[in-house]
Amino acid sequence: MPLGSRTDFGDAKFSGVQTGFSPDAARLLESTFQQGFDFAVAPLVNPKRGQKVSARGELDPLTPQDVLTPPAEHAGQVVGLVSSWISPDRAEALEQRQHEAALSRELDWAAHNSLQAAVCPLPRTGPVSNYARTLLQFTLGLSPMALWVVIPLGQTEEGSIASSSSPTSSPGSCNDVDGWSRWNHVRSLCDHSTQVGVVLEVPASLPAPQHVRRWFAEPVKALLLPSSVFVTNRKGFPTLPKSHQALLLQFFGFGVQVILTGLPESSSEPPSSGGGGAWTVVTGSNGGRVLPPRQDSSARQHWEYLSFLFRRPEPVAQQEQMEMGYRDFLQVPLQPLQDNLESQTYEVFEKDVTKYTQYEEAILAALRARQRRSSAAEASTTTGSPQPNGHHGSTHPRNGEDSPVVIFVVGAGRGPLVRASIQAGQRAGRVVQVYAVEKNPNAVITLHRLVASQRWEDKVTVLAGDMRALQPPQQADILVSELLGSFGDNELSPECLDGAQRFLAPGGISIPAAYTSFLQPISASKIWSDARAYKDVEHMETPYVTKMHRFSAMADSLPVFSFSHPTAAQPNNARYARLAFSNRSGSAAALCHGFAGYFEATLFGDVTLSTHPTTHTPNMFSWFPIYFPLSTPVTCPAGCDIEVHIWRCTSLHKVWYEWALAQPQITGVHNMLGRSYHVGL
Amino acid sequence: MPLGSRTDFGDAKFSGVQTGFSPDAARLLESTFQQGFDFAVAPLVNPKRGQKVSARGELDPLTPQDVLTPPAEHAGQVVGLVSSWISPDRAEALEQRQHEAALSRELDWAAHNSLQAAVCPLPRTGPVSNYARTLLQFTLGLSPMALWVVIPLGQTEEGSIASSSSPTSSPGSCNDVDGWSRWNHVRSLCDHSTQVGVVLEVPASLPAPQHVRRWFAEPVKALLLPSSVFVTNRKGFPTLPKSHQALLLQFFGFGVQVILTGLPESSSEPPSSGGGGAWTVVTGSNGGRVLPPRQDSSARQHWEYLSFLFRRPEPVAQQEQMEMGYRDFLQVPLQPLQDNLESQTYEVFEKDVTKYTQYEEAILAALRARQRRSSAAEASTTTGSPQPNGHHGSTHPRNGEDSPVVIFVVGAGRGPLVRASIQAGQRAGRVVQVYAVEKNPNAVITLHRLVASQRWEDKVTVLAGDMRALQPPQQADILVSELLGSFGDNELSPECLDGAQRFLAPGGISIPAAYTSFLQPISASKIWSDARAYKDVEHMETPYVTKMHRFSAMADSLPVFSFSHPTAAQPNNARYARLAFSNRSGSAAALCHGFAGYFEATLFGDVTLSTHPTTHTPNMFSWFPIYFPLSTPVTCPAGCDIEVHIWRCTSLHKVWYEWALAQPQITGVHNMLGRSYHVGL
């Protein structure tokens, strides 16, 4: 039985319980299911058997009584637990081989029984290379069974930051005390196999947030929750301390399951068949099903508490609902300049009410600002010295109180910014003349339909063509565009607006007025693995639009490229930035998989749009962040410098980014000369 | 004219001179050649011109008077010198683009004129990423012109080891003061392109040996030798201080050329045509040729000194002569067990007199040791209590003074160890009975011929067959084999001798008695690049037999796998070793390209064979070291730990190695399950 019916948080709907050993797996599972749990984590080999070795130094063969043999129909509900005495990294060569053989034998037995996963308790200290190599060897076989390496969440290098920056104890040593570094060692040796995941043992005393946070970026498959972590409330029921509640809720958010461990053997046993309660038949929407009698065993009480906790998160916001299906899904960025968008795509973007509200506010503010300037100019004309003929200063004399304000919407699409312009004009009490410039002939048809249906024929003129080439019938006072991509300039807003700013009268206003991209090193094994799954160079050098979810930021973001409009004559849109993320004191060691990109834009005055985490415009969902991968992930010790170089390159027909890590390791330049990815002009 | 006629040191036979700028390149070259130099390094653009920028912020076009235009027939003797003011890593964006464009323009001009190389003076401080990226961009074009980045040899992090281990100044930062780190940054960004090399500026005061040594592993194309480094001897001629002489001789050994710089302009000019001396016609073996009049200019004197220095090295030893042609040449190890060797291969190995002398000494020592034991046993039989019947202790009672000593030579090849056995028997005054076991039917024919020609019919029995399966006609007292590979056990000596030790009587002796392999992390860009040139995974996971020449050891070697013979029953030849090269104090930062492997073997008693650098058997050339590559080179900061894991894996039909770096970065396991390379059983 799942913990709850919430499906909005991914796959975290299952809970398991660790049981004792029993060769009678059917009885074990019956008891587990009766208590409410979805699966059992059971020892593959009787722990009491221990490490039996024949006189010739070989492992004693296993007998049927020694091993767990789950019934075929329930194989999917049993996770095998590898014997904890196995430790193939012993110094003595014969022991080492025996332990390797024992590990392989248990994994093979689990795979033979079609178990979905095996829990592998990595020794807490000492080297791990042979353990890792034996796991890697298993993954290269035919079985798809997952391997879950057990790592204590509480085992961190915390408090020894100073010593960890010295060469002798830098993360990555196979003798490292830090649990994360031990995991990093195992998965690196396993070449980042997606078959190898991690389960975290939750301690009574939780580590510092930065040591927890980095696990969000890792393939954590489950939390091992010892019953000893629970406290008893006044009514005598098991509950978790606040800190642990918060931890579980965080991990539930990442789709991580829970496995209850350490229950006394008796509590996970069903009562003897004679003493069971009455069974209940429930007739619900799913048809009648038989529920077992309610078990008030300790295990059942723990399950009920977990179930309660799982259902507790608040209903998610609309924005989050929208994004759910896109989490950690890699999309190659749109190229609206080169390609014509489909109507469906416009439809999705137009649903972003927040964005168009911000645009309307910006246009309104711009209209008011112009009005103030005109009044001031008129006042000075009246009271001061007469103005010379023609254009002067930043004031456009044609725009008096009576003449309409000319607004060019460039890249009008199906018209949302045309609507925003007209509404802003109405609110400002100004007559506006809107020109809707659109190069997509299909969208132009819809624009004409909109104008007709709204009776805007006197206010709106549709101009079909590319804004970079079109000859405007008159000059614009305000130039409105929505050409920004996830990384700000990546959908070629700078190039388009450079072309379109010919429309602008002197002193005219561009909305947006400016934008800046931001970059941040991240750990994110999920999306990196997904890009690597393509097995080619191209996919490791392509920036992806991604709603990053299972990731962890490794430093605060830094600004990258800035553009403002209108620009001086002959702007050059090539850029280069060197970003030194050097203020990482208190950071934990983590594996850098690349960089997350965001943008902040000033539409007009103080009206902004932002996808940057700390300034994100509330409820705006038009943009996901962008992800720049590193072709090989790089281990970054705690507190180390991270330095990135990024180029925005331009040529006659295309624009592209190149990037390289310079610290703590130097990589080659990714996407050199746009060989793997570019945006067509 | 080359510096000398020695061809034994690779390509270091050319010397160049840096000249001033002249648009009249023909005259410049005439003067250079007259002084004896082979090529000129000349500014591509008049340095006096400086950085000219138009009012619009663009580079001013170059005129014919601004640029060096070498005559087509001498293009190969001119190396272009890029303007030293170019520094594309300035903070200001417009300047940055101008400098990038200037760099590209000079490189393009040099390539247009088919120059073989351009010398690129990297700025001495500040970031280098844009410089590197512009070079990388050039290498991706069509021109094969080499790019030689100038790095000051004297610019090291020395004296700041303490601060360099702190995170903020770790090597790899593009702001690094260490010249090597700046070079490492450039070539890493350039993805280790073989088109990008380095030229070292020799300072007056030389850095510590470890800072010089690491350059032996790098693609150093030339030394820039300023005339200011010379001192004047008593006769008034320019000479180099002892330390600089030693430096040049070292680099000559690596085929590095010399470019003289900083001569006063006048001294590199030929005297006016009116004042020249008489020309001399020399009639030599090459036919008559006209020599220019001897120029006693300063440049000529410097050239003569360099020429003297180049000819100075002692004639090389026979071993070195043999190895010359194999330097840095990657060979996949032989598989003498799986394949039958060619006669030519035996021929080469049999030339190694030293090796067979050592074997003869070992057999002699074994015969004498046996004799001593027999005597002692007889003495005890005579003087002590009577022995029970049959075999006893380690003494084989059959071998009295009179019965012949039975020697099995397993893998006899064409017979050199048979000869060594017989000679040892003669020297010991012992009758020996030699069985020559050989599986290669072609070698067996040669063996029979040898026995007949030497009239050894009474002493030698040829047994055709695989030593692992053959049934011996009697038991051996001594088992002699030469089955060692470059990494000791890599030609499956352990597996072969495990099979052959059935031949041995109890208490019998195996020659060799034991062997141990050694491993050492190395920097070696040449051989790594050669392996990478195959562009596949296989070649990055294959150990190569290589006479490593252009390489630099990054730590003392450590022992890896040990075997001894005869072994206990049922030996297991799988091995695992974790090597921590942690005592690297005083080491300089370097790029680890993989590991060099050696072996030490004890033949018998104190008679050894060794390919290990510190214990190498003099004049033995049968084995080159082995090279285990890393698929991606890893930057190792000064003093950092280097940790390696290596496995010797065995299965029914094959043996192979797997390896991984664990410190300072963790790599995946190379050659997992022998996917790229194995030795067939």
Side-chain angles (χ1 to χ4, degrees):
Chain A
M1 189 192 299
L3 279 176
S5 60
R6 291 169 56 94
T7 54
D8 47 342
F9 275 140
D11 53 4
K13 10 185 227 288
F14 298 110
S15 66
V17 66
Q18 186 175 324
T19 69
F21 173 78
S22 167
D24 184 358
R27 186 150 170 275
L28 207 77
L29 283 172
E30 195 193 332
S31 142
T32 301
F33 299 153
Q34 279 185 17
Q35 287 150 4
F37 292 99
D38 306 293
F39 64 92
V41 177
L44 287 159
V45 174
N46 191 346
K48 287 184 186 132
R49 188 180 180 279
Q51 177 189 2
K52 277 197 194 166
V53 176
S54 75
R56 291 171 58 201
E58 285 166 2
L59 292 175
D60 255 8
L62 295 170
T63 67
Q65 282 69 44
D66 291 332
V67 294
L68 175 80
T69 312
E73 68 271 26
H74 287 309
Q77 286 147 308
V78 179
V79 169
L81 176 60
V82 169
S83 297
S84 58
W85 59 261
I86 295 179
S87 155
D89 285 278
R90 304 178 156 243
E92 208 279 306
L94 181 64
E95 283 190 346
Q96 179 193 306
R97 277 196 295 276
Q98 286 165 356
H99 283 244
E100 271 173 25
L103 179 52
S104 287
R105 183 166 74 173
E106 295 200 8
L107 295 179
D108 288 346
W109 174 251
H112 176 74
N113 283 281
S114 305
L115 302 195
Q116 292 194 4
V119 170
C120 307
L122 197 67
R124 292 191 172 223
T125 55
V128 297
S129 296
N130 281 298
Y131 207 111
R133 191 191 162 276
T134 310
L135 298 185
L136 173 56
Q137 183 164 1
F138 179 85
T139 67
L140 297 177
L142 291 174
S143 166
M145 185 179 78
L147 304 176
W148 294 353
V149 176
V150 180
I151 298 285
L153 174 62
Q155 195 175 348
T156 72
E157 89 275 46
E158 207 184 17
S160 61
I161 299 287
S163 73
S164 79
S165 69
S166 82
T168 48
S169 67
S170 61
S173 167
C174 60
N175 294 312
D176 213 292
V177 292
D178 179 23
W180 180 87
S181 292
R182 294 174 71 73
W183 156 245
N184 191 39
H185 196 88
V186 170
R187 66 94 172 272
S188 296
L189 279 178
C190 289
D191 195 25
H192 308 269
S193 166
T194 51
Q195 214 172 330
V196 182
V198 62
V199 294
L200 292 173
E201 267 185 313
V202 178
S205 169
L206 295 181
Q210 71 268 27
H211 287 104
V212 174
R213 209 182 302 128
R214 55 183 170 171
W215 287 109
F216 300 161
E218 301 290 353
V220 179
K221 300 302 179 185
L223 297 181
L224 290 177
L225 192 65
S227 59
S228 59
V229 166
F230 284 77
V231 292
T232 307
N233 69 4
R234 266 185 285 174
K235 291 178 182 163
F237 287 103
T239 57
L240 284 173
K242 279 232 160 63
S243 58
H244 285 75
Q245 291 180 28
L247 183 87
L248 257 66
L249 289 175
Q250 281 182 306
F251 276 102
F252 283 161
F254 291 108
V256 174
Q257 339 183 71
V258 172
I259 298 169
L260 201 63
T261 69
L263 287 174
E265 284 288 306
S266 63
S267 80
S268 63
E269 295 265 324
S272 65
S273 53
W279 288 59
T280 320
V281 178
V282 179
T283 317
S285 56
N286 296 328
R289 61 201 168 104
V290 176
L291 280 189
R294 185 182 158 88
Q295 303 293 340
D296 282 312
S297 69
S298 166
R300 175 75 192 186
Q301 288 173 359
H302 283 82
W303 177 84
E304 280 181 348
Y305 179 76
L306 289 176
S307 192
F308 151 77
L309 208 61
F310 182 78
R311 289 203 182 83
R312 214 176 60 177
E314 295 295 307
V316 291
Q318 189 208 355
Q319 184 191 343
E320 217 171 327
Q321 287 279 15
M322 285 278 301
E323 292 167 355
M324 214 70 82
Y326 292 96
R327 280 180 174 169
D328 291 331
F329 181 75
L330 298 175
Q331 295 176 284
V332 175
L334 291 173
Q335 299 220 4
L337 186 56
Q338 186 178 278
D339 310 324
N340 284 325
L341 299 183
E342 293 171 23
S343 191
Q344 188 60 41
T345 312
Y346 288 117
E347 183 87 23
V348 170
F349 287 132
E350 287 168 19
K351 280 194 180 138
D352 192 343
V353 176
T354 306
K355 181 175 77 172
Y356 294 110
T357 306
Q358 291 297 91
Y359 264 100
E360 190 180 315
E361 292 302 321
I363 299 166
L364 179 63
L367 287 172
R368 286 183 175 150
R370 281 186 50 78
Q371 207 160 4
R372 278 195 301 277
R373 284 198 306 207
S374 299
S375 311
E378 260 171 43
S380 79
T381 312
T382 319
T383 60
S385 58
Q387 295 269 318
N389 278 345
H391 299 335
H392 179 72
S394 62
T395 314
H396 199 218
R398 201 191 42 184
N399 294 307
E401 269 299 316
D402 305 308
S403 60
V405 180
V406 180
I407 300 178
F408 269 63
V409 175
V410 292
R414 306 198 312 180
L417 289 180
V418 173
R419 185 184 301 270
S421 302
I422 286 171
Q423 287 173 184
Q426 285 166 348
R427 286 170 65 194
R430 298 286 310 192
V431 182
V432 297
Q433 176 62 41
V434 180
Y435 289 91
V437 180
E438 177 54 49
K439 71 156 181 63
N440 179 352
N442 309 302
V444 166
I445 294 169
T446 315
L447 272 175
H448 279 298
R449 190 177 298 143
L450 175 74
V451 171
S453 73
Q454 300 289 321
R455 303 197 171 279
W456 284 342
E457 289 85 351
D458 57 332
K459 300 188 186 95
V460 177
T461 310
V462 177
L463 299 175
D466 190 312
M467 70 180 83
R468 292 168 295 175
L470 202 84
Q471 284 309 316
Q474 67 174 117
Q475 285 199 298
D477 299 305
I478 300 175
L479 184 68
V480 184
S481 65
E482 51 165 338
L483 304 165
L484 296 176
S486 289
F487 198 50
D489 55 80
N490 65 308
E491 290 183 13
L492 310 192
S493 176
E495 284 73 15
C496 292
L497 292 183
D498 288 350
Q501 74 181 24
R502 295 170 293 114
F503 305 169
L504 259 192
I509 290 166
S510 169
I511 294 175
Y515 37 89
T516 298
S517 50
F518 288 82
L519 210 65
Q520 174 173 57
I522 59 166
S523 186
S525 68
K526 168 83 172 68
I527 52 178
W528 182 86
S529 296
D530 287 351
R532 210 219 354 199
Y534 290 100
K535 296 185 178 175
D536 58 29
V537 170
E538 287 69 26
H539 281 86
M540 300 316 291
E541 298 191 335
T542 298
Y544 297 95
V545 167
T546 309
K547 178 59 199 164
M548 286 167 231
H549 185 58
R550 288 197 81 148
F551 82 108
S552 167
M554 295 171 65
D556 289 341
S557 64
L558 290 175
V560 189
F561 304 134
S562 289
F563 294 87
S564 59
H565 300 281
T567 63
Q570 293 201 310
N572 187 313
N573 295 322
R575 294 284 191 281
Y576 162 69
R578 185 160 61 87
L579 309 174
F581 301 91
S582 53
N583 193 12
R584 301 179 60 244
S585 60
S587 70
L591 189 65
C592 182
H593 291 95
F595 312 94
Y598 316 100
F599 76 86
E600 283 180 7
T602 297
L603 292 181
F604 184 80
D606 56 1
V607 185
T608 61
L609 294 180
S610 169
T611 67
H612 187 282
T614 58
T615 58
H616 200 292
T617 308
N619 289 318
M620 185 176 71
F621 53 77
S622 289
W623 291 278
F624 291 152
I626 202 161
Y627 167 56
F628 291 88
L630 279 178
S631 50
T632 307
V634 173
T635 303
C636 298
C640 83
D641 281 7
I642 298 177
E643 189 176 305
V644 186
H645 298 243
I646 182 166
W647 291 264
R648 184 185 201 266
C649 307
T650 59
S651 72
L652 211 55
H653 298 296
K654 59 182 191 177
V655 173
W656 68 98
Y657 301 99
E658 299 173 10
W659 61 98
L661 190 71
Q663 285 265 36
Q665 281 274 321
I666 316 159
T667 68
V669 177
H670 289 63
N671 193 35
M672 186 68 195
L673 302 185
R675 64 177 178 182
S676 295
Y677 161 83
H678 67 261
V679 190
L681 268 170
Chain B
M1 192 190 300
L3 278 178
S5 59
R6 292 169 56 92
T7 53
D8 48 340
F9 276 140
D11 53 4
K13 16 185 223 286
F14 298 110
S15 66
V17 65
Q18 185 174 326
T19 69
F21 174 77
S22 167
D24 184 358
R27 187 153 168 276
L28 206 78
L29 283 172
E30 194 191 335
S31 143
T32 301
F33 299 153
Q34 280 185 18
Q35 287 151 3
F37 292 99
D38 306 292
F39 64 93
V41 177
L44 287 159
V45 174
N46 192 347
K48 289 185 185 130
R49 190 180 179 277
Q51 177 188 5
K52 279 195 192 167
V53 176
S54 75
R56 291 171 59 200
E58 287 166 2
L59 292 175
D60 255 9
L62 295 169
T63 67
Q65 282 69 46
D66 291 331
V67 295
L68 174 80
T69 312
E73 67 272 25
H74 287 308
Q77 286 147 307
V78 179
V79 169
L81 176 61
V82 168
S83 298
S84 58
W85 58 261
I86 295 179
S87 154
D89 285 277
R90 311 184 147 234
E92 207 279 307
L94 181 63
E95 283 189 345
Q96 177 194 306
R97 277 195 296 275
Q98 287 164 357
H99 284 243
E100 272 174 24
L103 179 53
S104 288
R105 184 165 74 173
E106 295 200 7
L107 295 178
D108 288 346
W109 174 251
H112 176 73
N113 283 281
S114 305
L115 302 194
Q116 291 195 3
V119 170
C120 307
L122 198 67
R124 291 190 173 223
T125 54
V128 297
S129 296
N130 280 299
Y131 207 111
R133 190 190 164 278
T134 310
L135 298 185
L136 173 57
Q137 183 164 0
F138 179 84
T139 66
L140 298 177
L142 291 175
S143 167
M145 186 178 77
L147 305 176
W148 294 354
V149 176
V150 181
I151 298 285
L153 174 62
Q155 195 176 345
T156 71
E157 87 275 44
E158 207 184 16
S160 61
I161 299 287
S163 72
S164 80
S165 68
S166 81
T168 48
S169 68
S170 61
S173 166
C174 60
N175 294 314
D176 214 291
V177 292
D178 179 23
W180 180 86
S181 292
R182 293 174 72 72
W183 156 246
N184 191 39
H185 195 89
V186 170
R187 67 90 172 275
S188 297
L189 279 178
C190 288
D191 195 25
H192 308 269
S193 166
T194 51
Q195 214 172 331
V196 181
V198 63
V199 293
L200 293 173
E201 266 184 313
V202 178
S205 170
L206 295 181
Q210 71 269 27
H211 287 104
V212 174
R213 210 181 301 127
R214 56 182 170 173
W215 287 108
F216 299 161
E218 301 290 353
V220 178
K221 301 301 180 185
L223 297 180
L224 290 177
L225 192 66
S227 58
S228 59
V229 166
F230 284 77
V231 293
T232 306
N233 70 5
R234 268 185 282 172
K235 291 179 182 164
F237 288 102
T239 56
L240 284 173
K242 280 233 161 59
S243 57
H244 286 74
Q245 292 180 28
L247 183 86
L248 257 66
L249 289 175
Q250 281 183 306
F251 276 102
F252 283 160
F254 292 108
V256 175
Q257 340 183 69
V258 171
I259 298 168
L260 200 61
T261 69
L263 287 174
E265 283 288 306
S266 62
S267 80
S268 63
E269 297 265 323
S272 64
S273 51
W279 287 59
T280 321
V281 177
V282 179
T283 318
S285 57
N286 296 327
R289 61 201 171 106
V290 177
L291 280 188
R294 186 182 156 87
Q295 304 292 339
D296 283 310
S297 68
S298 167
R300 175 75 193 187
Q301 288 173 357
H302 283 82
W303 178 85
E304 281 181 348
Y305 179 76
L306 289 177
S307 192
F308 152 77
L309 208 61
F310 182 78
R311 289 204 183 85
R312 212 177 59 179
E314 295 296 307
V316 291
Q318 189 208 353
Q319 185 191 343
E320 216 170 327
Q321 286 280 15
M322 287 276 304
E323 292 167 356
M324 213 72 80
Y326 293 96
R327 281 180 174 169
D328 291 332
F329 181 76
L330 298 176
Q331 295 176 283
V332 175
L334 291 174
Q335 298 220 2
L337 185 58
Q338 186 177 279
D339 309 325
N340 284 325
L341 298 184
E342 293 171 25
S343 190
Q344 189 60 42
T345 311
Y346 290 116
E347 184 85 25
V348 170
F349 287 133
E350 287 169 18
K351 281 194 181 138
D352 193 343
V353 177
T354 307
K355 182 175 76 175
Y356 294 110
T357 305
Q358 291 296 91
Y359 264 99
E360 191 181 315
E361 292 301 320
I363 298 165
L364 179 62
L367 288 172
R368 286 184 175 150
R370 283 185 50 77
Q371 208 162 2
R372 279 194 301 277
R373 283 198 308 208
S374 299
S375 312
E378 261 169 41
S380 79
T381 312
T382 319
T383 60
S385 55
Q387 295 272 316
N389 278 345
H391 299 334
H392 177 72
S394 63
T395 314
H396 197 218
R398 202 191 40 178
N399 294 307
E401 270 298 314
D402 307 308
S403 59
V405 180
V406 180
I407 301 179
F408 269 64
V409 174
V410 290
R414 305 198 314 181
L417 288 180
V418 173
R419 186 185 299 272
S421 301
I422 287 171
Q423 286 173 183
Q426 286 165 350
R427 289 171 64 193
R430 300 285 310 191
V431 181
V432 297
Q433 176 62 42
V434 180
Y435 288 90
V437 181
E438 176 54 48
K439 72 157 181 55
N440 179 351
N442 310 300
V444 166
I445 294 169
T446 315
L447 272 176
H448 279 298
R449 190 176 298 145
L450 176 74
V451 171
S453 73
Q454 300 289 321
R455 304 199 170 279
W456 284 343
E457 288 85 352
D458 57 330
K459 301 188 185 98
V460 177
T461 310
V462 177
L463 299 174
D466 190 314
M467 70 181 85
R468 291 168 296 176
L470 202 85
Q471 283 310 317
Q474 65 175 119
Q475 284 200 300
D477 299 305
I478 301 176
L479 185 69
V480 184
S481 65
E482 52 166 338
L483 304 165
L484 296 176
S486 289
F487 197 49
D489 56 80
N490 65 306
E491 291 183 12
L492 310 192
S493 177
E495 284 73 15
C496 292
L497 292 184
D498 288 350
Q501 73 182 23
R502 295 172 293 116
F503 304 168
L504 259 192
I509 292 166
S510 169
I511 295 177
Y515 36 90
T516 298
S517 50
F518 288 82
L519 210 65
Q520 173 172 59
I522 59 167
S523 186
S525 68
K526 167 84 173 69
I527 51 178
W528 182 85
S529 296
D530 287 351
R532 210 219 353 199
Y534 290 100
K535 295 184 179 175
D536 56 30
V537 170
E538 286 70 25
H539 280 86
M540 300 316 291
E541 297 192 334
T542 297
Y544 298 95
V545 167
T546 310
K547 178 59 200 166
M548 286 169 231
H549 185 58
R550 289 198 78 152
F551 83 109
S552 168
M554 296 170 66
D556 290 341
S557 63
L558 290 174
V560 188
F561 304 134
S562 289
F563 293 87
S564 61
H565 301 282
T567 63
Q570 292 200 313
N572 187 313
N573 296 321
R575 294 285 189 282
Y576 163 69
R578 184 160 61 87
L579 309 174
F581 301 91
S582 53
N583 192 14
R584 300 180 62 245
S585 61
S587 70
L591 190 66
C592 182
H593 290 97
F595 311 94
Y598 315 101
F599 77 87
E600 282 179 7
T602 297
L603 292 182
F604 183 81
D606 57 0
V607 185
T608 60
L609 294 180
S610 169
T611 67
H612 187 282
T614 58
T615 59
H616 201 292
T617 308
N619 290 316
M620 185 177 70
F621 52 77
S622 288
W623 292 277
F624 292 152
I626 202 162
Y627 167 55
F628 291 88
L630 279 178
S631 51
T632 307
V634 172
T635 303
C636 299
C640 83
D641 281 9
I642 298 178
E643 189 176 305
V644 186
H645 299 243
I646 182 165
W647 291 263
R648 185 185 200 265
C649 307
T650 60
S651 72
L652 209 56
H653 298 295
K654 59 180 190 177
V655 173
W656 69 98
Y657 301 99
E658 299 173 9
W659 61 97
L661 190 72
Q663 284 267 39
Q665 282 275 321
I666 316 158
T667 68
V669 177
H670 289 63
N671 192 35
M672 185 69 194
L673 302 186
R675 65 178 177 181
S676 295
Y677 161 83
H678 67 261
V679 190
L681 269 170

